[in-house]
Amino acid sequence: MATKINFNGEIHDHLNISVLDHGFLFGDSVYEVVSTLNNQPCFLDKHLTRLYASAQAISLKIPHDKEWLREHLENTLVASGNDESYIRIIVTRGVGEITIDPSSCEHPNIILMVMDVTEYPKSFYEKGIRVALVSIKRNPHNALNPNVKTGNYLNNVLAKMEADRLGAQDAIMVNPWGYLTEGTTSNLFFVCEGHILTPSLDCGILSGITREMVIQLAKENGFHMEEGKWPGEELYKADEIFLTGTLKRVMPVSHLDGRPVGLGKPGPITLKLLRLYDGLLTKKV
Ligand code: PDD
């Protein structure tokens, strides 16, 4: 098992990047995290589509097409020899002058990281995780649109640090108007009286690929599924809470701000959706 890093088409075991890359200096980059099944990327097309959309949103021209990325990712996965991999696709603005102005960055860098994957412990799925509603707000659309997956994650880093201080494993953020948004690297769902609720895209969230799949699965399986706007306090009324994301899949939440959610263990709707999502992953690849 090995780490392989593809830098603009060449595979390396280690990689040093210039400190003058604006990705490093300013978080001026976009990225995707992709999981694998049998070392094949899951939902790669959706991830690549979102990568190009994120790049377009920050006027970053990716110098190659999706086919190029697919081919090089495939080679890098083979070179890694992993059973399963953690894939991170990063496109940075590239090296330029040490000023905020990106116009001197002529060559964006494409980095495909393929690493051995560390899965979340089984106990997280069996017992649920603890989350906290933190005071750090999710960025508003017109500051740094949360639906653009950039390498600027300081908002989320600060939220995670606050959650740690509160004894929680992850943070839930509200937007500047007090409406629920998402976790630090995941989307938020909660269940109230049998209805599955999730903040709508206009609350200021990343349109998660797992979120999209879970919404679809919930609808197909006869659940009442609603996207909308809810104030942070609404979460205290939830019978179940779960987070979704490429690495977390469907992650049950047992405690919110130190108080048990429902019975303080994964609820039946969460567990059903976890099963359905895992089933979908196995079918898709
Ligand atoms: N994060 N919200 C945020 C802020 C995220 O960073 C992510 C993904 C998600 C879930 O999106 P998806 O289901 O497409 O993975 C929601 C990845 C996993 C990360 O940065 O590690």
Side-chain angles (χ1 to χ4, degrees), residues 42-47 187 189 207-221 225 227 242 244-246 249-250 273 276-278 280-281 284:
C42 301
F43 307 121
L44 183 58
D45 202 49
K46 289 181 185 292
H47 283 285
N187 290 114
F189 287 75
S207 177
I209 291 163
T210 322
R211 173 184 182 276
E212 182 190 324
M213 297 299 162
V214 166
I215 291 175
Q216 197 179 316
L217 282 172
K219 287 181 180 165
E220 282 168 9
N221 285 274
M225 174 77 241
E227 295 176 61
F242 58 93
T244 64
T246 293
R249 309 191 330 268
V250 173
L273 286 168
L276 288 170
Y277 182 71
D278 283 351
L280 177 79
L281 270 184
K284 279 272 161 181

Side-chain angles (χ1 to χ4, degrees), residues 113-148:
M113 292 171 60
V114 169
M115 302 168 76
D116 193 20
V117 64
T118 313
E119 284 178 2
Y120 286 102
K122 236 177 138 196
S123 63
F124 283 23
Y125 295 93
E126 289 164 357
K127 294 185 180 157
I129 62 165
R130 295 182 307 278
V131 302
L133 258 176
V134 295
S135 66
I136 292 279
K137 304 286 179 281
R138 191 71 179 107
N139 293 320
H141 283 112
N142 51 2
L144 181 57
N145 187 347
N147 199 25
V148 181

Side-chain angles (χ1 to χ4, degrees), residues 51-64:
L51 181 78
Y52 279 81
S54 295
Q56 194 180 19
I58 64 163
S59 305
L60 170 60
K61 173 126 186 40
I62 301 180
H64 293 286

